[in-house]
Amino acid sequence: MGKIGVIGCGYVGLVTGVCLAELGNDVVCGDIDQKKIDGLSIGISPIYEPELQPILEQNLRQEKVSFTTDLDQVIREADILFIAVGTPTTAIGTSDLSQVNSVIDRIVSTAVDEKIVVMKSTVPVGTGDKFCQFFGCNGLSHISYVSNPEFLREGQAVHDFMVPDRVVIGGGGSGAVERIAKLYDSFEVPFIYTSTTNAELIKYASNAFLATKISFINEIANLCDEVGADVSVVAEGMGHDPRINPYFLRAGIGYGGSCFPKDVKALKQLAGHNGYHFELLSTVIEVNEMQKTRPVQKLRKHLGELYGRNIGVLGLTFKPHTDDIRESVGIDVVKLLQFEGARVIAFDPLGMDHAKKVLTGVEFVGDPYKVADGVEAIVIATEDPFYTELDWQQILEVMANPLVIDGRNILNPDSLPEGIILDQIGRGVRIVSSGSDYRDTQDVALNSLRKAS
Ligand code: UDX
C-alpha cells in the first residue's frame, strides 16, 4: 500500500492524518507553518483535541506518521493526497480558495506519477468538477480527484473520524473511489458514492440544516419567553418524534465555530451566484446574529442602562472542551457588553490565551469565582458542564446582584441557592426560593433588583 499525504495540519488535516495512521497507513503530513511542524514532530499538538494526543504520540513513535514543511516531498512520496487547507470566508461571504488553488498548482507541477487528490477542505459546490475538467484538459490524466467531506465536531473529532455516521465519496475514474473507500473499509456505516458536486453539497446542506435547527429552536425559545412556556420541555416533546429527533434542539444564544457560520454564509452566496435566492438561510443567519444580543437585552430589562456596570462572563470559546474562539458567541457577547459601556470580567477554562488576542479592555481572571466578585450580573456563554459544578452559594455571596443570565440553559434552578435570579433562554425568569420557583416573574425580578440598587 502506498503512502498517504495530508496537506494542511489544521484541525481537519491533523485529525485526518493521525487517524489514518492509527488505521494502519503510512502518513506524511505537510504544512507551511514551521513552528507547528516542529511541535508536531515531537508530539506537541497545536490544537486541543482530547483523544488526539495519545494517538499522535503513539503513531510518531511507531513512525506511522511524520510531519514536514516540504510540501513537494509530501507530493512526491504519497500517492494519495488529502487536501485539508483553510477555506476562509471572504469579505463578501464567498469561500476564499486561494490556499486550495495553490496546493493544486503545486501538485500539478510536482506530480509525475499517479496521484489521487482527496478534497477534505469544504469547497464550493462545483469546485471538484472544475478541477477534474482542468486535469482532463491539460493532459493530467495521472491525477484523479475525489471529494470526501469531513463531518468532524471539535472536541469529538477523533471519535467522529473513527466512528462516523456515514462516509461520502464523490468522484470517479481509474479506481480512485475504490482506493479511498478501502481506507475506510473497517467502518460499518453507510457509504455514499456519488458525484463530486453531490458530495460537496452534502457537506454544506448538512451544516446548514443543523444551523437551521438551532436557529429554529432559538426562535421557539424567544417565543417561550413571551408566552411563559419552557423551551427545554417543548424541545423534549418535539424530539421524541423520530422525524425531528432530539439532537441540536438546545436553545441558547446562537451557534458559532469555524464551520456553521462560514458554511451557512457560503451556501447562501453560492445559491445567489447560481441565480437562486436561498431565503431561509438569510433568516437563519439573521436569527443567529439577533440571538447573540439576547444576553444584553435581558440584562437591560433587569438592570436598565449597562453603562459603567460590572458584568461577569463565563465562557469565551465557541463551545466547551475546546480552546477555539473562532466565531465564538461568547466573544461577541463581551464585545456587545463593551459596546453598551459595561466593564467585563471574564473566565474560560481553555480559551483565555486566544481570547486575550482579540479582546481589549477585559479583565481576565484565572478563577471562575473571581468573575463573580462585585459584579451586577453573570452571563454564561458556553454550555460547559463545569459551570454547573461551581459552588453557586459562594458565587452568590460575592455578587453585587444575584442575577445570572444562563445563555445556554445549563443551570438547574433546583440545585441553585436561594436568592439567585436566573434568566434562561426560553425558560423565563426564576427567583430561586426555598418554597417554590417563581415562573415567568420578569417584573418580580426586575423590581427586586431595582429596589436593591
Ligand atoms: C460542526 C458540525 O457538527 C460538524 O459535523 C462539522 O463538520 C463542523 O461543524 P463543530 O463546529 O465542532 O461541528 O460544533 P458543534 O458541536 O456542531 O456546535 C456548533 C455550535 O452550535 C456551537 O456554538 C454550539 O454551542 C451550538 N449549538 C449546538 C447550539 O447552540 N445548540 C445545539 O443544539 C447544538
Side-chain angles (χ1 to χ4, degrees):
M1 200 164 47
K3 206 167 196 166
I4 294 175
V6 179
I7 300 177
C9 291
Y11 222 94
V12 171
L14 186 54
V15 171
T16 301
V18 173
C19 287
L20 284 169
E22 180 70 8
L23 288 173
N25 303 286
D26 278 325
V27 182
V28 54
C29 300
D31 197 291
I32 50 171
D33 185 336
Q34 183 73 54
K35 208 167 140 212
K36 199 186 265 185
I37 293 300
D38 289 347
L40 280 166
S41 301
I42 52 168
I44 300 170
S45 168
I47 55 164
Y48 177 81
E49 185 60 43
E51 291 176 55
L52 187 65
Q53 191 63 36
I55 56 170
L56 166 66
E57 285 172 21
Q58 188 182 318
N59 284 285
L60 265 175
R61 262 197 313 273
Q62 294 171 348
E63 297 182 358
K64 297 296 289 178
V65 69
S66 62
F67 297 93
T68 177
T69 51
D70 185 350
L71 301 188
D72 291 339
Q73 177 204 330
V74 178
I75 297 166
R76 274 194 314 271
E77 282 183 6
D79 56 356
I80 297 176
L81 292 164
F82 280 83
I83 300 183
V85 292
T87 51
T89 311
T90 64
I92 53 160
T94 53
S95 300
D96 175 358
L97 284 185
S98 53
Q99 294 179 53
V100 168
N101 290 338
S102 89
V103 172
I104 293 282
D105 285 351
R106 204 142 178 175
I107 294 172
V108 165
S109 59
T110 310
V112 282
D113 46 4
E114 300 256 312
K115 303 285 174 197
I116 303 173
V117 172
V118 188
M119 189 58 73
K120 272 279 170 204
S121 303
T122 303
V123 290
V125 179
T127 304
D129 258 3
K130 278 187 205 145
F131 285 137
C132 290
Q133 228 172 32
F134 171 78
F135 297 150
C137 295
N138 288 278
L140 300 162
S141 57
H142 57 295
I143 305 178
S144 315
Y145 183 95
V146 169
S147 168
N148 175 216
E150 54 81 20
F151 303 96
L152 309 177
R153 288 164 298 176
E154 289 191 21
Q156 283 152 283
V158 172
H159 171 271
D160 287 350
F161 189 97
M162 293 298 194
V163 194
D165 299 314
R166 74 295 211 187
V167 173
V168 177
I169 303 178
S174 47
V177 166
E178 292 73 15
R179 288 266 331 257
I180 302 310
K182 204 155 173 37
L183 296 176
Y184 305 121
D185 66 0
S186 58
F187 300 162
E188 286 172 18
V189 295
F191 278 62
I192 291 124
Y193 299 108
T194 185
S195 64
T196 55
T197 300
N198 283 343
E200 289 157 354
L201 192 51
I202 286 170
K203 166 73 190 198
Y204 278 109
S206 300
N207 276 355
F209 183 78
L210 292 170
T212 304
K213 218 174 162 184
I214 296 172
S215 278
F216 181 84
I217 201 65
N218 285 341
E219 291 231 274
I220 293 289
N222 298 343
L223 179 62
C224 285
D225 273 339
E226 297 304 321
V227 300
D230 182 335
V231 72
S232 54
V233 179
V234 174
E236 190 193 347
M238 291 165 63
H240 284 296
D241 184 333
R243 293 170 302 174
I244 298 174
N245 85 44
Y247 307 110
F248 273 70
L249 284 181
R250 290 193 322 268
I253 51 176
Y255 60 78
S258 63
C259 288
F260 285 170
K262 171 172 89 74
D263 292 353
V264 179
K265 283 182 201 140
L267 184 56
K268 179 181 141 138
Q269 287 293 331
L270 186 108
H273 286 146
N274 285 278
Y276 180 68
H277 175 57
F278 205 144
E279 183 138 12
L280 181 61
L281 292 186
S282 306
T283 311
V284 169
I285 295 165
E286 193 186 325
V287 168
N288 200 53
E289 288 307 309
M290 291 308 293
Q291 204 64 17
K292 297 174 185 176
T293 68
R294 292 299 280 182
V296 167
Q297 290 170 29
K298 284 179 180 284
L299 285 169
R300 277 220 214 102
K301 266 194 195 166
H302 292 287
L303 302 171
E305 265 299 319
L306 299 183
Y307 188 84
R309 305 258 190 190
N310 292 332
I311 310 291
V313 173
L314 292 173
L316 298 168
T317 52
F318 84 94
K319 69 176 192 181
H321 314 304
T322 175
D323 61 354
D324 195 340
I325 56 156
R326 284 178 288 174
E327 300 273 344
S328 163
V329 178
I331 298 284
D332 284 343
V333 166
V334 171
K335 288 182 180 167
L336 287 165
L337 286 169
Q338 289 181 320
F339 182 74
E340 295 288 316
R343 213 181 123 256
V344 178
I345 301 102
F347 168 83
D348 189 281
L350 296 167
M352 290 230 288
D353 288 345
H354 290 314
K356 283 175 188 168
K357 292 178 204 149
V358 297
L359 292 172
T360 51
V362 173
E363 185 187 336
F364 293 99
V365 288
D367 173 350
Y369 294 98
K370 290 208 175 113
V371 158
D373 210 357
V375 294
E376 287 167 85
I378 287 179
V379 177
I380 300 177
T382 55
E383 58 272 41
D384 196 330
F386 172 69
Y387 302 130
T388 63
E389 286 150 24
L390 295 176
D391 180 345
W392 283 91
Q393 180 62 45
Q394 193 182 327
I395 289 177
L396 181 65
E397 279 162 18
V398 295
M399 288 176 80
N401 278 330
L403 177 61
V404 179
I405 310 291
D406 178 4
R408 297 293 179 182
N409 294 350
I410 55 164
L411 296 182
N412 177 358
D414 297 334
S415 324
L416 292 176
E418 200 176 326
I420 282 196
I421 299 170
L422 178 66
D423 194 344
Q424 297 183 298
I425 308 296
R427 305 190 74 202
V429 186
R430 298 157 200 241
I431 303 177
V432 180
S433 77
S434 55
S436 64
D437 253 0
Y438 292 101
R439 183 74 188 86
D440 196 24
T441 47
Q442 192 85 3
D443 291 340
V444 180
L446 211 135
N447 289 336
S448 73
L449 280 187
R450 292 221 165 124
K451 263 185 239 145
S453 58

